Amino acid sequence: MKRNLSALKKALQFGISGAVGGFAGNLITEPFMQGLTGSESFFDSVFSTARWFGLVGGGIATAIMFGYYYYIKGKPQINQALKNGGLFGLIAGAISGAIAEGIYSGIGDGNNELLRVICWGIAGSLLGLGLAQRIPNLGALRGTGGGGVGGVLGGCLFILFAYNLSGTAGRLAGCAAIGFWIGIMLVVAETLFNKAWLVISYDTGANRTLTLGSEPITFGSDENLSIICIPNVSPLAMRFQLEAGQIVCENVDSGAVSYLRSGDQKRIGNCTITVGNSDLPAATSTQVPPSIISQKSPADSFTSGQLFLKLGSRVISLSAGTQLFTSDIPSLTAAASNGLVAIVTSRSRNELSLGLTNLCDRAWWATDIQGDIKMIEPESTLTLALGTKIEFGEIEGEIVGS
């Protein structure tokens, strides 16, 4: 639900930004449009259209980038929007406008409205492709497809406005409609066809949704190093990325790397980050075996000395029946009201092997001494072995011996 509401807000923000950009871009070109008589040569028509839609495209791209930066940072970033949207939007708009006019004038008879709509779709596709190079993990296919559909929808409205309004008013409204639908459809395409995403929930109640992909999504206090700026944390504190179908989270401060599943959460500064993955839904008790046990035999896992759980500077002795509470591991939340988050159990009658049962409301990640990573779901049990590292949310523990 949070993702859908956040995506809707993002789509509207991009759409409104695109509409303002299209309107402003066309407003700049209106003095040039007034001098056109309609009897220009083919090359003059192509040039004038390229100039016109170059400025319109530059306005749309700059405004959408402004909306993007405002969405993820919560404040205006005019210089960045101009830098990353203005020039490439101008070039992409000019090229797409020239191509569209060349097709329309070279093939059509000047009255083929269907062909005109197709040309707007081509222009929107190229503009969306250019925006995909600036918006992290939007992707060329989603950018091209979303921009193309937005161009077609906006082009239909452009024609409608052109027939029902005066020349200037029709063009202003039509370009605003094109910018609006390109902005909307970029987010729609991104949301419908992405495989993994992050929902960022701030303590203030605000939410943001970002697509995960090969380009890392970074969190930290330095705007030059981090896509999402979080006050009072390290300049670059955390990095999320999609690698080979797996969601990877790197805690830059500690160097710890974890692999996340849909529904897993991370806490940093004033926000909670929830992972979503359409290919790997959140596990349930029917999907996951009741326990995850080391492939080693109990004799291999057992050490004659006492086992301990090392949590930073604290060391907790582990034996059958040992209980761990939220006061011991503050990063965990107990599933029951008694505050119990884990309990040590005997995995065999002679107590040569101990297990740690997860009694909190989220999964842990355990890495054994050989580097194998396992997910420990709630109510599952991990066989304890020396050298095993367990990620309890933001706190990492290690099984050590006496």
Side-chain angles (χ1 to χ4, degrees), residues 287-302:
Q287 294 173 313
V288 180
S291 63
I292 299 175
I293 305 174
S294 171
Q295 293 180 350
K296 299 179 181 180
S297 66
D300 292 332
S301 298
F302 173 69

Side-chain angles (χ1 to χ4, degrees), residues 249-321:
C249 173
E250 178 187 0
N251 187 318
V252 180
D253 290 332
S254 65
V257 175
S258 57
Y259 296 85
L260 307 180
R261 295 192 64 174
S262 185
D264 282 348
Q265 294 183 331
K266 291 287 185 179
R267 178 75 183 177
I268 176 172
N270 63 348
C271 68
T272 300
I273 305 163
T274 305
V275 171
N277 188 336
S278 60
D279 289 341
L280 188 59
T284 64
S285 59
T286 59
Q287 294 173 313
V288 180
S291 63
I292 299 175
I293 305 174
S294 171
Q295 293 180 350
K296 299 179 181 180
S297 66
D300 292 332
S301 298
F302 173 69
T303 172
S304 58
Q306 173 68 46
L307 292 180
F308 299 88
L309 175 63
K310 183 178 180 182
L311 297 167
S313 60
R314 292 188 61 202
V315 178
I316 301 174
S317 176
L318 301 179
S319 58

Side-chain angles (χ1 to χ4, degrees), residues 38-336:
S39 59
E40 292 82 8
S41 67
F42 173 81
F43 292 104
D44 287 338
S45 296
V46 170
F47 176 75
S48 62
T49 301
R51 179 183 59 191
W52 168 55
F53 201 70
L55 290 171
V56 172
I60 291 174
T62 300
I64 288 179
M65 290 306 300
F66 178 88
Y68 167 74
Y69 288 125
Y70 191 82
Y71 176 79
I72 64 171
K73 297 181 182 296
K75 59 182 180 180
Q77 300 280 309
I78 298 176
N79 291 336
Q80 279 189 291
L82 286 170
K83 177 182 177 181
N84 294 318
L87 181 59
F88 98 83
L90 182 68
I91 295 173
I95 292 173
S96 61
I99 293 174
E101 180 61 29
I103 294 173
Y104 184 71
S105 299
I107 300 176
D109 57 5
N111 295 307
N112 190 329
E113 303 301 351
L114 176 60
L115 183 58
R116 179 180 292 182
V117 169
I118 293 174
C119 290
W120 280 120
I122 294 172
S125 294
L126 293 179
L127 197 58
L129 177 61
L131 284 166
Q133 311 307 312
R134 298 294 188 276
I135 299 176
N137 299 316
L138 173 58
L141 287 177
R142 290 193 290 262
T144 302
V149 173
V152 167
L153 294 174
C156 291
L157 288 176
F158 185 97
I159 294 171
L160 178 65
F161 291 143
Y163 276 111
N164 292 278
L165 299 173
S166 65
T168 299
R171 284 190 293 270
L172 288 170
C175 288
I178 290 171
F180 177 81
W181 281 110
I182 288 176
I184 287 282
M185 294 311 300
L186 285 176
V187 179
V188 170
E190 178 188 48
T191 303
L192 289 179
F193 299 106
N194 63 357
K195 292 184 177 181
W197 58 89
L198 300 177
V199 177
I200 306 161
S201 302
Y202 293 88
D203 293 344
T204 59
N207 293 298
R208 306 280 189 274
T209 300
L210 292 180
T211 294
L212 275 177
S214 58
E215 185 172 348
I217 301 297
T218 52
F219 294 76
S221 59
D222 190 332
E223 292 189 358
N224 296 319
L225 299 175
S226 306
I227 292 176
I228 302 296
C229 295
I230 307 295
N232 303 319
V233 299
S234 300
L236 178 58
M238 199 170 288
R239 182 186 290 116
F240 292 82
Q241 192 171 4
L242 187 65
E243 294 182 354
Q246 290 187 305
I247 301 172
V248 182
C249 173
E250 178 187 0
N251 187 318
V252 180
D253 290 332
S254 65
V257 175
S258 57
Y259 296 85
L260 307 180
R261 295 192 64 174
S262 185
D264 282 348
Q265 294 183 331
K266 291 287 185 179
R267 178 75 183 177
I268 176 172
N270 63 348
C271 68
T272 300
I273 305 163
T274 305
V275 171
N277 188 336
S278 60
D279 289 341
L280 188 59
T284 64
S285 59
T286 59
Q287 294 173 313
V288 180
S291 63
I292 299 175
I293 305 174
S294 171
Q295 293 180 350
K296 299 179 181 180
S297 66
D300 292 332
S301 298
F302 173 69
T303 172
S304 58
Q306 173 68 46
L307 292 180
F308 299 88
L309 175 63
K310 183 178 180 182
L311 297 167
S313 60
R314 292 188 61 202
V315 178
I316 301 174
S317 176
L318 301 179
S319 58
T322 299
Q323 296 180 336
L324 301 176
F325 295 86
T326 52
S327 57
D328 299 308
I329 312 177
S331 59
L332 299 181
T333 301

